[in-house]
Amino acid sequence: MTEPTLRALAACFTVLAYAALCAAIYWRQRRQRDASQRRASALAGGGAGAATLVLYASQTGQAEALAWQTGGWLHAAGTPARVMPLNEVDVDLLRQAPKALFIASTYGEGDAPDGASVFAEHVMGAKAELSSLRYAVLALGDRQYANFCRFGRLLDEWLHAAGATRSFERIEVDNAEPATLAAWQAQCGGGAPAGEAAGASEAPEPVAVPLRLASRTHLNDGSAGAPVYRLAFAPMAAPAAGWESGDIARLVLASDPGRPRDYSIASIPADGALELLVRQEQHPDGRLGAASGLLTSTLRLGDTVQLQLRAHRNFRLGENLQRPLLLIGNGTGLAGLRGHLRARAAQGRHDNWLVFGERNAQHDFLCRAEIEAWQQAGVLQRLDMVFSRDQAERLYVQHRLLQRHEEVRAWIARGAAIYVCGSLQGMASGVDAALRQIAGDAPLRDLTAAGRYRRDIY
């Protein structure tokens, strides 16, 4: 067989493999959509009687899971339920509903989660008359932040000001505290303790899986910033399934179970290992952070750690699988973007643009060899590395976006989805402001509603 023939056959096999991969992903997503539709139909009770709306404002998936669980409790008690994200809700729907239960997370510095940002801006930003609505609010938050449950509180106040009547007082939950969730369940008619099966839970609490530390690599030796490590964990038995790029690994410490730590997964299942990028936290007295210290120092090669693999639907590729991607981030936010790029490389999709920032090119170019190899192979159609301290004037990723505003508009115009991963302070807020300046407030809001603007920020 001649060399041209072999090359042609190899190309054909590559195309067929890619087509098979795309088909597998399509059918998996189709099955997930069909399953969700069947669950929704079962909860609605076939249209018998007016359904109670169960509306969620979710970022990482916790509020969504609780919404489906709440719908299951209502269904078990004989009450039809309709579960929806807040971004799909308008005033007319609320006026027509006899009752609504709101499950609302707070994100960032007291803001609405991305899954409710359109509702917060458009619906809550206008006056409404909702005197026929009875409602209740479950506000999810974390007391370590100053604006504890702020969005849930604002939502409750807006509903009350619009004339809606509280079925019972707002319930506020600190870090999914079980006793408080049990109080919500009791009010909603659920008979089983919180967390137990209730007939229609969309996303039950993930079970922690044992993973063995296979390697740990220091990525920014000599940096003026805190050390960053890439950790690779091997499954103890069969490869962990049910996760994909964009998802989260959660570490729950026995010494601090009320404050689980979430880490963006930096790999894909096909890699055979679950990888994280972790920055080592150090307290003023020299002690290492409990979680980052365990992962980057205390844990030895071969040791085992229990991690929960959590679906982060707001940051998965989902329906953006076939779109161009504009990936923006900084620091260890490269983890979530790296997962998507590895998925794209496996699919043969090269319409990717990475805009990434760190301190110095010499010491802080994380995963440099891999990123440069992607650029050379064409996996990265565009690459903009922004090093803030390599020039007299500080330069960040949002500044680079503004410098490339015409290209950003062009990518959006041809259907690109935007993914942002990294720090809330400075980066994410600056990127959001830059995108609003480039694209306009209304178009960016439309991108959010369409799932084309997604963020994993902390």
Side-chain angles (χ1 to χ4, degrees), residues 284-423:
D285 62 4
R287 291 181 301 111
L288 296 182
S292 68
L294 170 68
L295 294 174
T296 64
S297 178
T298 306
L299 205 64
R300 297 172 298 178
L301 294 182
D303 284 352
T304 301
V305 67
Q306 300 277 339
L307 293 174
Q308 294 177 1
L309 307 184
R310 302 178 64 87
H312 189 355
R313 290 180 179 81
N314 283 344
F315 203 68
R316 284 181 170 181
L317 289 177
E319 295 179 356
N320 295 321
L321 187 67
Q322 303 301 325
R323 295 184 179 276
L325 292 190
L326 171 52
L327 306 163
I328 307 164
N330 72 334
T332 54
L334 182 61
L337 307 181
R338 180 180 185 255
H340 285 329
L341 282 169
R342 293 188 71 80
R344 300 282 280 188
Q347 296 159 12
R349 290 302 301 259
H350 292 179
D351 44 354
N352 307 302
W353 179 3
L354 175 63
V355 183
F356 185 75
E358 252 290 355
R359 287 173 177 260
N360 303 104
Q362 183 177 357
H363 302 294
D364 300 295
F365 196 149
L366 307 180
C367 301
R368 181 171 192 159
E370 184 175 35
I371 290 173
E372 290 181 340
W374 279 332
Q375 186 181 29
Q376 293 169 7
V379 173
L380 281 170
Q381 194 174 106
R382 290 193 60 120
L383 174 63
D384 281 273
M385 297 298 297
V386 186
F387 296 102
S388 60
R389 290 161 173 78
D390 278 356
Q391 58 281 315
E393 183 180 0
R394 295 289 170 86
L395 186 65
Y396 300 102
V397 289
Q398 57 265 37
H399 301 136
R400 184 57 53 83
L401 291 172
L402 290 170
Q403 292 170 351
R404 304 283 190 266
H405 61 275
E406 291 183 358
E407 292 95 327
V408 173
R409 286 196 197 101
W411 276 62
I412 293 173
R414 66 187 182 97
I418 303 170
Y419 284 74
V420 181
C421 193
S423 61

Side-chain angles (χ1 to χ4, degrees), residues 26-383:
Y26 169 79
W27 283 111
R28 181 180 63 188
Q29 293 178 344
R30 175 76 177 269
R31 287 195 302 270
Q32 290 172 344
R33 285 196 299 270
D34 290 346
S36 293
Q37 289 171 357
R38 288 193 298 272
R39 277 188 293 268
S41 178
L43 291 179
T52 293
L53 298 179
V54 184
L55 309 175
Y56 60 87
S58 189
Q59 187 72 33
T60 61
Q62 182 185 22
E64 180 183 1
L66 283 169
W68 283 99
Q69 200 167 33
T70 300
W73 299 331
L74 293 171
H75 177 71
T79 301
R82 183 181 179 187
V83 181
M84 298 175 62
L86 262 181
N87 272 352
E88 294 182 7
V89 175
D90 57 22
V91 170
D92 287 340
L93 181 63
L94 295 177
R95 285 199 190 104
Q96 295 164 13
K99 186 174 182 179
L101 300 175
F102 295 81
I103 302 172
S105 295
T106 292
Y107 197 48
E109 295 301 310
D111 301 322
D114 289 345
S117 60
V118 175
F119 179 88
E121 184 176 349
H122 259 243
V123 182
M124 291 174 62
K127 290 184 178 180
E129 200 287 311
L130 300 172
S131 58
S132 62
L133 178 68
R134 295 185 63 82
Y135 78 95
V137 173
L138 177 68
L140 309 179
D142 185 338
R143 289 193 184 278
Q144 70 171 318
Y145 294 102
N147 295 302
F148 174 67
C149 288
R150 180 174 179 268
F151 177 65
R153 293 173 179 177
L154 291 175
L155 175 61
D156 184 21
E157 292 166 3
W158 177 80
L159 288 162
H160 190 64
T165 303
R166 294 186 181 100
S167 296
F168 51 88
E169 291 299 312
R170 180 181 67 244
I171 294 176
E172 297 182 349
V173 184
D174 179 22
N175 269 314
E177 198 274 321
T180 316
L181 289 176
W184 171 260
Q185 182 173 355
Q187 292 282 8
C188 295
E196 290 188 10
S201 175
E202 162 78 359
E205 186 68 13
V207 176
V209 295
L211 297 170
R212 176 180 54 82
L213 181 62
S215 67
R216 181 166 55 211
T217 307
H218 188 186
L219 296 181
N220 62 339
D221 189 27
S223 173
V228 174
Y229 292 86
R230 182 173 67 221
L231 296 91
F233 294 92
M236 299 298 291
W243 63 279
E244 57 189 75
S245 67
D247 284 351
I248 290 170
R250 170 168 288 187
L251 173 63
V252 180
L253 298 172
S255 59
D256 192 7
R259 281 193 60 211
R261 276 68 161 186
D262 289 341
Y263 297 93
S264 303
I265 298 176
S267 56
I268 56 176
D271 295 333
L274 185 144
E275 297 191 18
L276 307 176
L277 303 183
V278 180
R279 191 180 298 275
Q280 190 178 78
E281 179 187 1
Q282 188 169 19
H283 298 296
D285 62 4
R287 291 181 301 111
L288 296 182
S292 68
L294 170 68
L295 294 174
T296 64
S297 178
T298 306
L299 205 64
R300 297 172 298 178
L301 294 182
D303 284 352
T304 301
V305 67
Q306 300 277 339
L307 293 174
Q308 294 177 1
L309 307 184
R310 302 178 64 87
H312 189 355
R313 290 180 179 81
N314 283 344
F315 203 68
R316 284 181 170 181
L317 289 177
E319 295 179 356
N320 295 321
L321 187 67
Q322 303 301 325
R323 295 184 179 276
L325 292 190
L326 171 52
L327 306 163
I328 307 164
N330 72 334
T332 54
L334 182 61
L337 307 181
R338 180 180 185 255
H340 285 329
L341 282 169
R342 293 188 71 80
R344 300 282 280 188
Q347 296 159 12
R349 290 302 301 259
H350 292 179
D351 44 354
N352 307 302
W353 179 3
L354 175 63
V355 183
F356 185 75
E358 252 290 355
R359 287 173 177 260
N360 303 104
Q362 183 177 357
H363 302 294
D364 300 295
F365 196 149
L366 307 180
C367 301
R368 181 171 192 159
E370 184 175 35
I371 290 173
E372 290 181 340
W374 279 332
Q375 186 181 29
Q376 293 169 7
V379 173
L380 281 170
Q381 194 174 106
R382 290 193 60 120
L383 174 63

